[in-house]
Amino acid sequence: MDPRKIKRASRKISLVLRHQPEAIGITLDKNGWAKVSELLSRMSANGYPMKREDLTIIVRENDKKRFSFSADGRKIRANQGHSIDVDLQLEATPPPSKLFHGTATTSVESILKSGLKPQKRQHVHLSVDLKTAAAVGSRHGRPVILEIDAAGMARDGYEFYCSVNGVWLAGGVPVEYLSVNW
Ligand code: HQG
């Protein structure tokens, strides 16, 4: 597969495994896994012809390591970012003392009123560094970075999870733990 096709297929797989498995007629189990054989045949039937080797390249070379195979290689799932209700069985993990969230300037007022909410996804996504947060924020417009007092939240009993591709996840961030890093 040429790099353009890999990128196109990768985007579709991200949509399918995080948000809309029905878009190509597959189902995920309660832990978010799809059968590799089913994904390959349904991707192919929906205009994304691909073989097992192509999927291996997509998983291995994805810029954000968005997908993982199961240990036996028969299943695949997205590592984070779901809007559908799946249980990734992540363990609550003590976070670094500070985490960051990049958003658009237009969302700041609302966030400072009601806190960070997961919106359509299962979790709020937090970054360990400013650079990543800025990249995430710029997807939505002119970026602003919010600093999260993760140590304070953890002390107050809030739980954090770290996805296998290094994105920190939380159920939400109340306003008192947020400051704007203009
Ligand atoms: C905002 C990408 C108003 C929030 C990235 C964000 C990430 C509020 C937007 C991953 C709000 C949701 C997730 C409130 C939150 N009022 N706006 N109270 N609370 N928001 O895309 O974090 O490339 O669902 O700031 O790298 O931008 O897809 O979340 O702007 O890791 O793998 O509501 O997606 O990864 O947007 O991005 P999103 P996100 P991938």
Side-chain angles (χ1 to χ4, degrees):
M1 257 174 132
D2 74 52
R4 261 197 0 258
K5 283 194 178 148
I6 296 264
K7 195 162 182 189
R8 180 173 166 267
S10 180
R11 283 195 173 183
K12 184 73 175 183
I13 292 170
S14 193
L15 174 83
V16 164
L17 295 182
R18 288 170 164 182
H19 310 297
Q20 282 179 35
E22 70 280 5
I24 58 164
I26 64 164
T27 50
L28 309 183
D29 72 13
K30 65 179 190 324
N31 303 126
W33 295 108
K35 288 198 184 103
V36 167
S37 56
E38 207 170 291
L39 182 73
L40 291 174
S41 69
R42 297 305 305 159
M43 283 291 285
S44 299
N46 281 273
Y48 297 81
M50 56 192 309
K51 300 198 181 97
R52 169 83 204 201
E53 304 87 85
D54 302 317
L55 194 58
T56 303
I57 291 170
I58 287 171
V59 171
R60 194 179 56 219
E61 293 179 10
N62 186 265
D63 57 348
K64 292 189 186 171
K65 303 282 177 229
R66 291 179 177 89
F67 317 111
S68 290
F69 286 119
S70 57
D72 65 7
R74 291 178 186 206
K75 292 183 285 182
I76 182 170
R77 72 177 178 188
N79 290 325
Q80 36 70 229
H82 299 79
S83 57
I84 45 181
D85 185 19
V86 297
D87 177 8
L88 297 176
Q89 299 176 297
L90 297 173
E91 277 186 33
T93 306
S97 63
K98 279 181 191 173
L99 284 166
F100 303 96
H101 176 87
T103 191
T105 44
T106 46
S107 300
V108 173
E109 197 185 327
S110 161
I111 293 172
L112 292 180
K113 258 190 212 140
S114 54
L116 269 177
K117 310 264 188 203
Q119 309 290 50
K120 291 185 183 146
R121 302 190 198 250
Q122 282 194 299
H123 297 102
V124 165
H125 288 222
L126 306 170
S127 314
V128 285
D129 60 273
L130 291 163
K131 189 169 165 240
T132 309
V136 173
S138 60
R139 290 160 49 253
H140 299 287
R142 196 149 67 82
V144 180
I145 296 174
L146 303 170
E147 189 175 304
I148 290 106
D149 173 16
M153 282 182 72
R155 204 170 43 236
D156 295 342
Y158 290 92
E159 293 193 325
F160 290 81
Y161 307 89
C162 188
S163 68
V164 304
N165 58 337
V167 179
W168 283 88
L169 305 168
V173 178
V175 181
E176 56 269 34
Y177 303 101
L178 284 170
S179 51
V180 184
N181 199 308
W182 289 107

